[in-house]
Amino acid sequence: MVDVILGLQWGDEGKGKIVDYFAPRYDIIARFQGGPNAGHTLYVEGKKMVLHQIPSGIFHQNTINIIGNGVVLDPVTLKRECDSVAAFGIDVKKNLFISERTNLIVPTHRALDKASELQKGESKIGSTLKGIGPAYMDKTGRNALRVGDLLDKNFISQYIKLRLKHQKLLDNFHFIEDITAWEEEFFEALEFLRTLNIVNGEYFINNKISEGKKVLAEGAQGSMLDIDFGTFPFVTSSNTISAGVCNGLGVSPKQINEVLGVTKAYCTRVGGGPFPTELENATGEELRKVGSEFGATTGRPRRCGWIDLVALKYACMLNGVTQVVMTKADVLDGFEDLDVCTSYKINGKETQEIPFQMMRSQIEPIYKHFKGWNMDTTKITDAAVLPGNMSTYIDFINRYIGAPVKFVSNGPGREQIVCL
Ligand code: GDP
Ligand code: IMO
Ligand code: MG
């Protein structure tokens, strides 16, 4: 049986905290897509930890964590992260497993990412520059190196072949970057990677499922960044939606049980691309300040706005969401008034559907207005004492998106979550 936790917006919904919270109920936590573009924040023993490659179940000693074949893996980031979790007494050699089919990010992927963004100029994606796009291009282009290749004696020659191909592309971009230091770190990190548990991920997970073990698949990014259904081309390069779990881990759709979708009580986006409810004013500024909305991977200020139910309902449909977790509800504690986007007006016509081309469409968000709750909710643990105005806000969202909000997160701490 596989449950899924994934983001319903443009990423950074608080997936890391939620996975960490639910992890004790599962035997295995599995990342199924994305790479070090992800930044999942959790608080362990009061200390802030940001995970980019390792699944967010790593701090639970009895939980197995697996990096699935759908992930693109930067060995340098992985090594750094393994070192930092070791400081908490976590032995990654015991509870971290990596699929041999996982694709590797090589230093020239990162250089290509930079070159591609530079060439795009004004219309750049706003990539995290971690090499994600080029790495997935090599996967679909059937050129990639995979973790299992590390065990092959021809690995170095395969690597040199790939680097040569990349060099030609970089020359075409007229992009020059000295990657000597990156490469040095990369090879050091590969030595470390070789010492970890490299497994046949699909058999590993399916055998565990047969034994009755419970798997939690952890998404990265968010549904509106999905390569097929997101705000293309301002998306990431993988399938972030629940369908990605099957090809990102090698499990059949029949195994998927609960799909928990995580949404903020408002909305943020980092990088370029359409964001109909964005508030480029004092209210947006206030959301950023109160919500500490700065990227966990790049530190960039996140763009902030009201919750967008058109996009949220779309995400629930694509993912088959069975339960919603609403995070950062406490960030709205001090707001007198709240708006909720219920439809888009495009060329004078109102719609509740996501259009094909959001960029070219002039989207005017239509809002329903709500009164704020104006009280500190961060210490609440019992749903019965949540403010009435918050319940009204949530009830409306439930009815609109057709999926129930079952959990409200009211602070970054592990224990700050209210079950409805
Ligand atoms: P992820 O990428 O989806 O895991 O989310 P990030 O870690 O990038 O961003 C979420 C941020 O919000 C982190 O700084 C979390 O510590 C914080 N956070 C998560 N849940 C809550 C919440 O309910 N309230 C508040 N105030 N912060 C939260
Ligand atoms: P988590 O897992 C928020 C955004 C980037 C950029 C676009 C493409 O922490 O929610 P990429 O590096 O994939 O080429 O960037 O996607 N992006 C994210 N935004 N959270 C993330 O991950 C993101 N991963 C990528 O800002 O706009
Ligand atoms: Mg994040």
Side-chain angles (χ1 to χ4, degrees):
M1 197 259 334
V2 181
D3 290 344
V4 185
I5 289 184
L6 45 71
L8 297 177
Q9 298 172 306
W10 279 280
D12 303 329
E13 297 88 350
K15 299 174 291 293
K17 170 193 156 158
I18 302 304
V19 170
D20 176 50
Y21 171 78
F22 282 106
R25 303 181 192 185
Y26 294 88
D27 302 293
I28 299 175
I29 312 293
R31 271 280 304 271
F32 61 93
Q33 47 69 232
N37 48 349
H40 297 176
T41 314
L42 7 148
Y43 282 84
V44 192
E45 297 158 13
K47 261 189 89 179
K48 181 174 165 169
M49 279 297 299
V50 180
L51 296 172
H52 304 285
Q53 291 276 191
I54 300 180
S56 301
I58 197 71
F59 294 104
H60 301 271
Q61 301 272 6
N62 299 322
T63 310
I64 287 173
N65 289 265
I66 176 157
I67 297 177
N69 58 280
V71 170
V72 284
L73 181 67
D74 177 353
V76 177
T77 308
L78 179 72
K79 181 173 184 297
R80 227 175 269 150
E81 226 163 87
C82 287
D83 290 345
S84 58
V85 303
F88 289 85
I90 302 295
D91 182 4
V92 290
K93 302 213 166 133
K94 250 172 52 198
N95 70 347
L96 180 66
F97 293 77
I98 302 162
S99 163
E100 57 197 357
R101 294 184 193 274
T102 304
N103 286 235
L104 287 172
I105 299 178
V106 299
T108 35
H109 281 143
R110 286 199 271 169
L112 281 165
D113 217 355
K114 269 196 196 169
S116 159
E117 283 284 78
L118 265 175
Q119 201 199 38
K120 283 189 155 98
E122 286 279 282
S123 55
K124 68 174 186 186
I125 312 274
S127 165
T128 59
L129 303 177
K130 303 291 179 191
I132 307 298
Y136 278 113
M137 279 162 74
D138 271 338
K139 177 179 184 175
T140 52
R142 296 159 292 180
N143 295 307
L145 288 169
R146 303 191 290 179
V147 170
D149 294 328
L150 279 176
L151 311 172
D152 187 324
K153 60 179 183 343
N154 294 324
F155 179 79
I156 290 289
S157 59
Q158 285 177 278
Y159 171 78
I160 291 171
K161 219 166 98 188
L162 188 63
R163 193 184 61 182
L164 267 175
K165 179 189 157 241
H166 290 166
Q167 194 51 58
K168 283 186 191 145
L169 291 169
L170 289 166
D171 291 346
N172 271 343
F173 279 118
H174 304 293
F175 186 82
I176 301 166
E177 175 116 64
D178 183 3
I179 60 156
T180 322
W182 279 356
E183 238 181 5
E184 222 167 86
E185 264 192 300
F186 176 73
F187 278 103
E188 227 182 273
L190 287 184
E191 282 314 308
F192 172 73
L193 177 52
R194 279 197 181 95
T195 68
L196 299 181
N197 302 298
I198 297 173
V199 293
N200 179 313
E202 58 277 25
Y203 280 111
F204 183 88
I205 287 200
N206 282 290
N207 287 341
K208 296 281 184 201
I209 293 172
S210 303
E211 290 165 18
K213 304 282 191 221
K214 290 173 77 185
V215 178
L216 178 62
E218 172 182 8
Q221 291 80 55
S223 305
M224 297 307 285
L225 287 171
D226 181 272
I227 181 71
D228 281 285
F229 299 104
T231 46
F232 192 87
F234 298 92
V235 292
T236 190
S237 300
S238 61
N239 282 114
T240 59
I241 61 169
S242 55
V245 173
C246 297
N247 54 13
L249 296 177
V251 297
S252 104
K254 283 191 275 185
Q255 301 291 353
I256 309 284
N257 186 38
E258 295 287 331
V259 180
L260 281 85
V262 187
T263 176
K264 281 179 189 170
Y266 51 98
C267 200
T268 65
R269 160 159 221 175
V270 61
F275 180 3
T277 61
E278 182 172 14
L279 295 166
E280 290 175 286
N281 58 17
T283 312
E285 200 50 57
E286 187 69 6
L287 282 170
R288 186 174 308 116
K289 200 173 98 206
V290 182
S292 309
E293 294 294 358
F294 295 89
T297 298
T298 58
R300 292 177 290 178
R302 294 179 183 143
R303 299 154 65 190
C304 297
W306 297 124
I307 196 164
D308 180 344
L309 297 190
V310 178
L312 197 61
K313 186 174 181 175
Y314 178 67
C316 287
M317 171 184 84
L318 296 172
N319 287 300
V321 167
T322 57
Q323 302 179 40
V324 175
V325 182
M326 181 181 279
T327 55
K328 305 194 90 159
D330 56 296
V331 173
L332 300 183
D333 281 357
F335 285 75
E336 293 275 339
D337 299 288
L338 309 172
D339 279 334
V340 164
C341 172
T342 53
S343 57
Y344 297 159
K345 200 178 218 176
I346 305 172
N347 299 326
K349 268 178 86 177
E350 235 178 277
T351 178
Q352 295 191 348
E353 291 188 1
I354 293 288
F356 167 69
Q357 184 47 284
M358 283 179 90
M359 231 21 201
R360 274 185 230 127
S361 336
Q362 289 297 319
I363 297 178
E364 183 198 332
I366 307 294
Y367 290 110
K368 183 171 166 59
H369 184 72
F370 285 84
K371 277 269 153 244
W373 40 90
N374 253 302
M375 65 174 271
D376 177 2
T377 61
T378 54
K379 298 195 178 56
I380 293 179
T381 52
D382 178 3
V385 294
L386 283 174
N389 284 357
M390 187 193 275
S391 304
T392 309
Y393 185 75
I394 291 173
D395 284 347
F396 180 80
I397 293 171
N398 284 344
R399 267 181 277 119
Y400 188 105
I401 62 176
V405 174
K406 286 282 182 91
F407 301 89
V408 174
S409 170
N410 53 344
R414 207 181 240 176
E415 70 297 342
Q416 286 177 295
I417 189 159
V418 182
C419 180
L420 304 189

